[in-house]
Amino acid sequence: MFGERIPNALNKDQLIDWLEQVLQPVEPSRRFLRRLRARLVTYQGGRLPSGWLLVVAGGLILVIAVISLGIALRFLIGLLSLLGLGRETRRRRKKDMQPTTT
Amino acid sequence: MNKPQVDDLKLVRQAASDLDAFGELYERHVRRIYNYIYFRTGNHHDAEDLTARVFERALRHIPKFEDKGVPFSAWLYRIAHNLVANWHRDRSRRPVVPLDDRFLSKGGRNQPEAEAVSQEEQRLLLAAVHLLPSDRQQLLILKFVQRFSNAEIGQIMGRTEGAIKSLYHRTLNSLRDDLARILKEGIAKEDPEQAEKEEKPTGKEKPK
C-alpha cells in the first residue's frame, strides 16, 4: 500500500514533496462567503450604539408613551361619558313614567 | 505581505467607522483564515463556524487594533488560533480529525501529479500532522497551504525567522518519526508477518 513511502526510506525531501501534494488550499463555498459577508457588513449587534442613537431612541420611546397615554385617556373619558349618558337616559325615562300630581 | 499591509492598516483605521472597509478586509483574508481553520479542524462545517466567529470577533475589536508593526493578518491568525485551541479543548478530540472526503478526492485538481497520491496516503499524512503539537501544525499549514516565508510565519507566530527555521526542521523530523510509527502500527495490524519482515531486514535487498 505504501510501497514507495516505506518509513525507513522516507527522506526529508520526499516528505516535503508529499506535504506539498497533500496540503493544498481548499476553496470555501461561495454561499458561505456571501452570507458571512452580508452578516458582517450589516452587523450591528456587537457594537455599542452611539450617544445620539440613544438620545433619539429615548425620545422616540417617550413620544410613543405620551401618545399612547393620550389615546388611553380619551378612550376612558369616552367610555365614562357613554355610561353617564345611559344612566341619565334611564333616569329621565323613569321620571317621565311616574304620574304627575297637580 | 508587506505591500498589502500598508493598505490593510489604512483599511483597519477606516473599518472602525466604515463597514465597507471591513468588507474589503474580509474579502482579502477570509480564504486564508478559512484554510487555516479547515486544516486544523479537518471538516468544512467547523471551519465555516469558526471562520465566522473569527471575523465577528475581529469586527468587534477592530477599533482597539494597534499598529505594533505586526500585519493585520497576523492579528486574524491569532484570533483563529485561539478559537481553534478552544475548539479542541471543548471537544477533547485533538488526535482524531475526520477529513472531509470532498477535499481528499479533489486534492490533485490543481496539480495532476497529486492525483497519484492515494486518498489513504493523504489520510495517513494528515493524521500524522494532526498528532503534532499545535504550533507545529500551525507552522506546516502556514508554510505549505498558505505558502508564507519563514519571516512572514515568524510575524504571525511571534517568533524570529531563525526560530521558525529551526522549528520547521524539528517538525519534519518528528513528523517522519510519527509516520514511521503509524505505518508500523498499521502494517502490524493488517499483516503481522510483513511487519516482522520490515523490522528484521533479511540482507537480501539489492543495493541502491
Side-chain angles (χ1 to χ4, degrees), chain B residues 106-169:
Chain B
K106 68 181 181 184
R109 250 185 213 174
N110 297 332
Q111 292 183 336
E113 71 267 24
E115 282 173 353
V117 182
S118 74
Q119 274 195 19
E120 210 153 344
E121 283 183 343
Q122 290 183 42
R123 272 186 204 281
L124 172 79
L125 181 60
L126 289 163
V129 168
H130 282 112
L131 284 175
L132 295 169
S134 161
D135 59 340
R136 293 183 182 195
Q137 287 183 42
Q138 186 178 18
L139 169 62
L140 289 180
I141 294 166
L142 295 175
K143 196 156 191 77
F144 289 97
V145 183
Q146 321 277 23
R147 308 263 166 193
F148 284 142
S149 67
N150 286 344
E152 289 168 334
I153 296 171
Q155 280 189 314
I156 291 168
M157 293 177 70
R159 296 183 191 200
T160 62
E161 195 178 342
I164 295 296
K165 213 172 169 184
S166 139
L167 181 67
Y168 175 58
H169 288 292

Side-chain angles (χ1 to χ4, degrees), chain B residues 3 7 36 47 53 56 65 102 153 158 185 195 205-206:
Chain B
K3 176 78 176 90
D7 295 335
Y36 173 73
R53 280 203 250 164
E56 280 164 6
F65 178 86
R102 275 183 288 172
I153 296 171
E185 282 169 8
E205 291 95 347
K206 282 180 190 171

